[in-house]
Amino acid sequence: MQETEIHDLSDDADYAASQQQGSASMMQCESGKRSSSNEPEGAEVVYMKDNVTIHPTQFASERISGRLKLIKQSSSLFMTWIPYKGQSTNARLSEKDMNLYTIRAVPFADVRSIRRHTPAFGWQYIIVVLSSGLAFPPLYFYNGGVREFLATVKQHVVLLRSAEHANVFLVNDFQNPLQRTLSSLELPRAVSLSIVPSTPVSGGESASQENGERTDVDVLDGSPSIRQFYRRERQKVHDPARDISMQLLEKFSLVTKFAREATSQLFWETPSNAFSLFERGSSNLSATDSSQKPRDDVLELPVPVPPDPLELDKLSLAWGKPRQPPLGLEEWATFLDSEGRVVDSKALRKRIFYGGVEHKLRKEVWEILLGYQSYESTYAEKEYQRSNRKTEYEIIKNQWQSISPEQEKRFTKFRERKGLIEKDVVRTDRSISFYGGDGNANLSFLHNVLLTYSFYNFDLGYCQGMSDLLSPILFVMEDESESFWCFVALMERLGPNFNRDQNGMHSQLFALSKLVELLDAPLHNYFKQKDCLNYFICFRWILLQFKRELEYDQTMRLWEVLWTHHLSEHLHLYVCVALLKRYRGKIIGEQMEFDTLLKFINELSGHIDIDVTLRDAEALCLCAGENGSACIPPGTPPSLPREDGFLFNSELDDTVL
């Protein structure tokens, strides 16, 4: 059905009116659902929409179209999305790759929320977020139908609008007795962490957290709301003999003050401060959850740790090559011809992969690794490029420098971004002498580059964490213009990490979960048991490329290794797997819950041996081979998307995979 009007469903009356359209949509697909032989016996297709599309990358040319269905079986509602066979516009996507995106019979009992996006220009899309915290890629409705989809869902499950976000709809399984009971109480929904009292809350207040509770991933001006990512229930011991009221109260006991404080400090706490933070949290945990402590007279037996299926130490010795000294000036000259061109780029990248680069060479080498300069450029061409780019940078910079105070009063977006940048710059790497002290000119350069980038890429703007990514680049380049263009090149790959829909981060966390499942199934199953399957414990690792976990020089060494793309352009995911496997015995042996696991992961900062970790990651990448590559959806950052023109084929093939 063609959607005749696109506007926000701002009140329940408007939403209720759309239910009639949903009913009409169901009637239209009635004949199709009766004749379909693909559905299991007793299943009823209550909604079906063709030409619903997923974009593996942020480019419109990379698209997979398919058919979206809502299927009711018994009293449960399921959602499926099946791609059309041979309808991908990306020639690199095989049928196996497309199957990575297939959504097969997801029960709405496992769905936390549905977020609807209505851009001023373009097509509406939705993001379905599971209770685990993982989200499916955005589903674009090129022929309309979002309102009908939501209306149909509301007819079969409890669907309530979030109190915080008008376009977020919270899902309850209507057949779940606990959820049905809470829904009938009409308790407040979607309580923000920022307004949750630090003292123990009453049952009514906790109920709103339990059910509306973990709201959809939100981004304020592009900044990821890290605290919302980590909201979860603590594991509880249930006594069947307790009455229903006690079960409800037990369910209402949510995340402790410890977990809330810990996750809210993921960005700005130093390792020493983080330790004291967790010490504070531990005392709060003991005060609020003392009833769940084991009794002193109970002997705690050690938990057996399932063996590592790959035996990481032996694997690293067999597959991982020893690290080499950094690339020096004399050896660097052997890779260049008389005019400054790189003779063998593959050999150069391999050499840097195994040893990194001496600091005095980094400026010249990083320009090439990041793509600011070409491997084939001569000395003269590189100098010409620097001159042209410097002029272009000054033109962009002048756009915000020429804004008068009167203009700024009327330019809200500029004021907001400028304020965020100024706030972040003064607390970025101040312990490094390059940025230390009052009146440091390098802080002004950092500020200028970030604000200029927010004008260069106005759609993305500035997001918290970008200053961390720029800091080492400016430290190496020591030039404002060259730092800017190297940062632009880096953000071409990492920019999707900061997108408002968080699709870039979700795709990497999804790939990480698949890699752990492939390379260490027992560890993956443990995370599943402890409700950590979303892998948000690794969020900061991926977002900032381990910058907060390593010493400054180690960060630069890791980055230049990652930028070579020697074995994989997603080596950072194998680094994540290597760290998790390295400490798997401690994680499983101590039966770490989410709170303690987050504490442990955060306290690894400053205690990671980068050489050992890189050797482990190399071994895991080689061992995984093509199976590992198949775990990573095409277009997952930091992949560079193809810049093809927009292709759209409206003729749909009825054959589905």
Side-chain angles (χ1 to χ4, degrees), residues 3 15 18 21-23 25-26 46-49 52 68-71 77-80 108 111 113-116 125-128 139 141 144-157 159 169 171:
E3 192 166 347
Y15 190 84
S18 72
Q21 297 182 5
S23 300
S25 175
M26 290 194 323
V46 295
Y47 175 90
M48 183 171 66
K49 192 69 182 177
V52 177
L68 179 67
K69 290 182 183 180
L70 294 176
I71 302 170
L77 187 68
F78 299 84
M79 182 183 78
T80 68
F108 271 79
V111 175
S113 63
I114 302 171
R115 181 159 191 160
R116 182 199 52 195
Y125 63 93
I126 62 171
I127 297 176
V128 177
L139 296 167
F141 288 68
V146 172
R147 290 172 62 186
E148 294 85 348
F149 173 82
L150 292 172
T152 306
V153 171
K154 190 171 184 179
Q155 289 178 349
H156 298 279
V157 301
L159 190 68
F169 299 91
V171 178

Side-chain angles (χ1 to χ4, degrees), residues 53-65 81 88-90 92-93 97-98 101 137-138 140 496 503-504 507 633-637 639 641:
T53 299
I54 283 176
H55 292 275
T57 72
Q58 66 268 44
F59 277 69
S61 59
E62 308 260 346
R63 53 185 286 129
I64 307 172
S65 296
W81 179 85
S88 170
T89 60
N90 186 346
R92 296 177 297 174
L93 284 174
D97 292 330
M98 293 172 66
Y101 296 94
Y140 287 81
N503 194 32
S507 64
T636 297
S639 298

Side-chain angles (χ1 to χ4, degrees), residues 458-630:
F458 202 81
D459 288 341
L460 184 59
Y462 174 79
C463 309
Q464 189 182 45
M466 287 184 180
S467 61
D468 276 282
L469 297 178
L470 173 61
S471 169
I473 293 176
L474 181 60
F475 177 80
V476 168
M477 296 299 159
E478 297 183 310
D479 179 88
E480 196 173 307
S481 170
E482 291 179 42
S483 298
F484 172 80
W485 291 112
C486 286
F487 183 66
V488 166
L490 178 63
M491 292 304 292
E492 283 296 303
R493 296 182 178 276
L494 299 184
N497 288 359
F498 300 93
N499 281 348
R500 186 175 294 272
D501 62 8
Q502 289 292 289
N503 194 32
M505 287 301 301
H506 277 301
S507 64
Q508 290 171 89
L509 292 171
F510 170 80
L512 176 59
S513 71
K514 293 299 183 184
L515 286 174
V516 175
E517 186 176 17
L518 173 69
L519 296 167
D520 197 337
L523 180 61
H524 180 80
N525 292 334
Y526 175 81
F527 286 143
K528 183 177 182 180
Q529 173 192 345
K530 297 300 181 182
D531 195 21
C532 298
L533 209 53
N534 49 36
Y535 287 85
F536 284 147
I537 54 173
C538 305
F539 187 93
R540 190 175 73 179
W541 289 358
I542 294 174
L543 182 72
L544 302 182
Q545 303 287 280
F546 300 92
K547 181 173 178 291
R548 296 288 177 85
E549 325 312 320
L550 302 171
E551 299 295 335
Y552 208 71
D553 184 66
Q554 288 184 329
T555 298
M556 293 187 288
R557 188 141 48 98
L558 172 64
W559 284 11
E560 59 202 13
V561 169
L562 297 179
W563 295 343
T564 64
H565 295 168
H566 169 56
L567 292 179
S568 168
E569 57 186 354
H570 300 102
L571 187 71
H572 68 297
L573 298 179
Y574 290 96
V575 173
C576 293
V577 179
L579 287 172
L580 293 174
K581 285 179 69 64
R582 179 59 60 182
Y583 296 100
R584 69 189 302 278
K586 186 176 181 64
I587 291 171
I588 300 176
E590 297 184 9
Q591 286 292 289
M592 292 185 182
E593 302 275 344
F594 175 82
D595 298 342
T596 51
L597 182 56
L598 177 62
K599 173 181 183 293
F600 175 73
I601 292 294
N602 208 49
E603 287 181 339
L604 288 178
S605 179
H607 300 285
I608 296 174
D609 188 324
I610 190 60
D611 289 332
V612 171
T613 303
L614 282 172
R615 188 168 180 175
D616 291 346
E618 177 195 4
L620 290 169
C621 184
L622 291 171
C623 182
E626 293 183 358
N627 290 329
S629 300

